[in-house]
Each structure stands twice: as C-alpha cells, then as structure tokens.
Amino acid sequence: MPDPTVPPTPPVALDALLARADLGLRRIAGPADPAVVVHWAHTSEMADPYPYLLGGELLLSAGVHIPDGAGAGYFDAYVSRIVAAGGAALGFGVAPVHDTVPGALVEACEMHGLPLLEVPPRTTFSAVARALWQLMAQARTAELRRVTEAQQSLATAAARPDPVPAVLQQLARRLGGRAVLYGPEGTEIAGAGPEPGEEVRTALAKLAEVVRPSGQEPSDARPSSASDTVAGVRLVAHALGNGEGFVLGTAAPQRDAGDHTIASVAAVLLSLLTGERHSGSGAGRSSALVRLLLGAAPAEVAPLLGGDRWRVVRGRPDGRAAPDPVAASALGAALGSSLVDVAGEVVRVLVPDERTVERVPGWTLGVSAAAAPRDWPAADAQASRALARARATRTPLLRHGDRPALTDLVPPHDADAHARALLAPIERSPALVDTLRTWLSLHGSWDRTAVALDVHRNTVRQRIARCAALLDTDLDDPDVRMELWFALRRT
C-alpha cells in the first residue's frame, strides 16, 4: 500500500515534454491545451491498444500495426479507442516504417481532440520515456520539498500563543485557498484565507456534515474525509481525530499532489489543539504553569494535571535525526499524554500512572517508576538511565526497576552524606560522573558505554582511568563497584 504521508508522483504537463529541445517533439494535431498532463509513457503496436491502457498515457507507436491501404475508418477507430481508454496523447515515430505521419491519422486526432506528437527519426521512444521520468522525478522532488516546508511551518504555527488561527492561516496560504474550522454544532469557529462565494461556503459547510459524527452511530460509521467540486473550487472536509465533532474544511481553486498530505498534517495538529481546549486539559496545564511560576510547589499543582502519580518517559527517535515538534506530539499521543517536552535529541513525556507504557515503533524509550510530584526529578533521572541502557543494549523499551533496594535500608540523610563524601573527588566533573554511572550500569562494557554516551570507546577508557585515579580505588573490585553504584544512585 502507498504511504499516505508521502504525496503521489505528480503528472507532467505535455507542454513540458514538448519544450525539451533534445527530443525535438512537435505537436501536429489536437488541442494546444496547457492543462493536458501525462502520467506515464507506453509503447504499443497493437491495432487496438484499449485493453492495455490505464489512462493518462503518452502512447508511442511507429505505425507497425497500420495495414497497407488503411483508410480513414481504420484511423478513426484506432484514435477513438485511445480516447475511450483515457490516453493523454499519441506520439508517432517517423521512420523506419513511415516517412511521414499519415494524413488520415492527423485528421482523426484533430476530430477526436487527441494531441498528436511527431517523434523525429533521431529520437528513440526510450529517450522520450526517460525524459518523462526525469520530469516526473523533478516534479516529485519539488512537491516533497513543498510538503516538508509546509509541515515545518504548520508545526511552528501550532507552537504559537494562539495556535488554531495560526495553523489555519498557514494551511490557507500553503493551499492557496480558504481553511475553516467548524465546531461540534456546525458553526464556523475560525477561518483564514480569501472568503469564497456564498455557493462555495454553503457547500463546504454541508460537506463538513458528511464527516461529522452524530453521536448516535459508531465512530467508524462515517468517512474521515470527503471531497467535492463546486464552481470550479475543490472542497475537502476532514473529521478531526479527537472525537468531539470538530471538522477542518478547505476550499482551493486547484488540487496539487501534496495538498492532501499538507491538510492531513494540519488536521492532526488541530485535533490535538481542539482536544485540549474542549476537554479543559489545556486550561488546567496553563493554570498549573502559572502557579509554578508564582512559587507553588509541584505537589500543589499536580491535581490540575489530572493525576497523583506519574511516570517520566524519555524517548529518542531511531536513527540520527533530532525529533521535531510534530514527531514529539505524535509520541505523546501514542503514549496517551500531551505533556511533552523536546530537549535536544530527547523527548520527555509525563504519563499518568494508570496508563500502560508500551513500545512505540521508531522510538527507543526509557521509563521511570511511578512517582509523586515531589519525586519527579528523581523519576526523570531514572528514565534517563533507563534510556541510556535501552540504547546501549538496542532494546526498544526499558523500565526502571521499582522493587525495594538495599539503599532503602540506610537512612536517606546518612546515605546522601556517604555518597557525597565518596564521590567528592569527581563531583566537579559531570562528564566523569555520568561516564562512571553509565559504565557501571552496563557492567563495565566499553563499547556499550560509548554507544550510550555518544563518545569514542577510547574516551570512555580515559575517563574511567581518571575516575580510578581521583577516587584512589580499584574499579575492578566488585565490592568497590557496588559501593560506588549505591553512591551514584543517591546523586
């Protein structure tokens, strides 16, 4: 199945093919319509190519199929069958079979409105097909670039203080038309772009009703999107995925290959934004943020977020690419939380304890134990260590163990004092502390530690040797390793 997030390869205008000087093609019949496009090239010497055409082809033929003495009736039947099959144009190769294009073929193409191209002897059909594929590849690259730029601008708009109007404005600009957000009752909540005529506006509102769930039927009883064309304007309606009845409508004068992908990205972003606003969770988080900034303790504002105990999930996308806001929001949606923070190459998500954290394709995750608000910083450290181990062991998901540890038998203040004293020689070097912690957690593996820290294995060896020298101890001694690990767990 084709990937719905990638726009299809756009067709090529026939005029673009005619403009290739290296081919020397010449239109000798049919309309000179700049709107004629070609989807692919096909060579056939069949007298009736109809069964082998899908539509949109540039059919190439050297006239081998033409019998001696063929008259106007033969060519009329031949051209009419090409038109009936949806052929875009006919290319006729001059030589070696025919010195010129038959006049009856020219007349038949003119009568049926089929563009007829003369292919000179020096131009092979393979060269025509190759030129077409090159033009299609250029068009696809340009379309992919347009879609990527649109995705980035939509993500940026979604992060602005007033995100819904900003997303609609970007969408309308990218589509060159009108973008409207309809509420659950069918009223227009916000819109951007040039105002269409009354006929188009009414038709778009009716199209939105086609995809809006009524609440009296299963969620999958209605389509997620619908389209129509009114007064030469392309109308599309997308039901937003939050299940609250919001609908995104677009009206554009033309339809490009990547428009559906761009509108789908906007629909996902608007689903997140309208879901937050309608449920009140966005207001709750805003209130929690304000109270924190004004000096409230985390434990006091946690109830505004909807739970008492939470887990911190740290994730990194597989591969080298840093996560963008859209990818981070998608991870949060997969984990069932919109409390998402992008910090460099890592995404942090705060997930309610009652939600089960499962693997997410394309991500490596480290999960903390459930923690009350006062312990969230410690939970973040747990998730960080779990992620480092997951990356080093190439495990998609690792959870921090939450069973009682031996350190729980020692009073916390005594354990903290002992840890500070033991680690004092290296405490001013975070790189040494992090390397020692990771190295011990990976059982002294140089290679896996290097992977977890994104450094060379020789760097790990040098840092561990430096730790051994500063701590004045033998790191090959398992008792020493155990004591250092307990100390590092307290920092």
Side-chain angles (χ1 to χ4, degrees), residues 338-390:
S338 54
L339 298 173
V340 179
D341 172 47
V342 182
E345 296 181 344
V346 175
V347 176
R348 299 187 297 179
V349 185
L350 206 56
V351 180
D353 183 28
E354 61 269 15
R355 291 187 178 273
T356 302
V357 178
E358 302 290 352
R359 292 175 52 181
V360 178
W363 290 85
T364 300
L365 305 179
V367 186
S368 76
R374 66 178 180 275
D375 298 321
W376 285 352
D380 186 37
Q382 293 173 0
S384 177
R385 291 194 292 271
L387 175 60
R389 288 178 58 83

Side-chain angles (χ1 to χ4, degrees), residues 44-51 64-67 74 77-79 81-82:
S44 174
E45 297 297 344
M46 302 290 293
D48 182 11
Y50 180 95
V64 177
H65 59 87
I66 302 174
Y74 176 86
Y78 176 68
V79 173
R81 292 289 282 173
I82 296 174

Side-chain angles (χ1 to χ4, degrees), residues 134-415:
Q134 289 173 347
L135 291 171
M136 294 177 73
Q138 293 171 6
R140 180 175 176 81
T141 299
E143 192 66 12
L144 286 172
R145 186 181 297 113
R146 184 177 80 94
V147 170
T148 300
E149 292 174 352
Q151 290 175 332
Q152 293 173 347
S153 65
L154 288 169
T156 301
R160 292 177 181 170
D162 198 6
V164 171
V167 169
L168 291 174
Q169 185 175 8
Q170 275 295 327
L171 178 60
R173 187 170 74 87
R174 295 291 174 174
L175 298 183
R178 177 79 174 168
V180 179
L181 177 64
Y182 296 99
E185 297 80 19
T187 56
E188 182 175 322
I189 297 177
E195 193 74 41
E198 183 64 28
E199 180 184 7
V200 173
R201 185 166 55 186
T202 301
L204 185 59
K206 290 182 178 179
L207 192 64
E209 295 299 323
V210 174
V211 300
R212 177 180 290 108
S214 64
Q216 301 176 350
E217 56 189 356
S219 58
D220 59 350
R222 295 200 177 195
S224 59
S225 64
S227 61
D228 194 6
T229 301
V230 174
V233 179
R234 174 76 171 181
L235 310 180
V236 183
H238 297 265
L240 301 191
N242 53 33
E244 302 291 346
F246 290 90
V247 177
L248 169 64
T250 61
Q254 60 184 10
R255 171 75 170 175
D256 292 328
D259 287 351
H260 178 75
T261 303
I262 295 173
S264 297
V265 172
V268 171
L269 293 172
L270 291 171
S271 295
L272 296 173
L273 296 171
T274 54
E276 292 178 10
R277 295 186 171 198
H278 194 67
S279 64
S281 61
R285 288 199 302 278
S286 297
S287 179
L289 176 61
V290 170
R291 295 189 190 187
L292 283 173
L293 293 175
L294 295 180
E300 297 178 18
V301 303
L304 295 173
L305 302 178
D308 297 326
R309 293 174 63 81
W310 298 70
R311 298 180 188 272
V312 178
V313 179
R314 281 190 172 232
R316 282 189 61 164
D318 296 340
R320 289 290 182 181
D324 56 31
V326 174
S329 297
L331 176 62
L335 297 175
S337 174
S338 54
L339 298 173
V340 179
D341 172 47
V342 182
E345 296 181 344
V346 175
V347 176
R348 299 187 297 179
V349 185
L350 206 56
V351 180
D353 183 28
E354 61 269 15
R355 291 187 178 273
T356 302
V357 178
E358 302 290 352
R359 292 175 52 181
V360 178
W363 290 85
T364 300
L365 305 179
V367 186
S368 76
R374 66 178 180 275
D375 298 321
W376 285 352
D380 186 37
Q382 293 173 0
S384 177
R385 291 194 292 271
L387 175 60
R389 288 178 58 83
R391 294 186 64 241
T393 58
R394 292 179 173 83
T395 304
L397 183 148
L398 267 182
R399 306 177 193 273
H400 175 79
D402 54 2
R403 65 180 185 277
L406 291 176
T407 51
D408 297 331
L409 303 178
V410 182
H413 63 278
D414 292 340

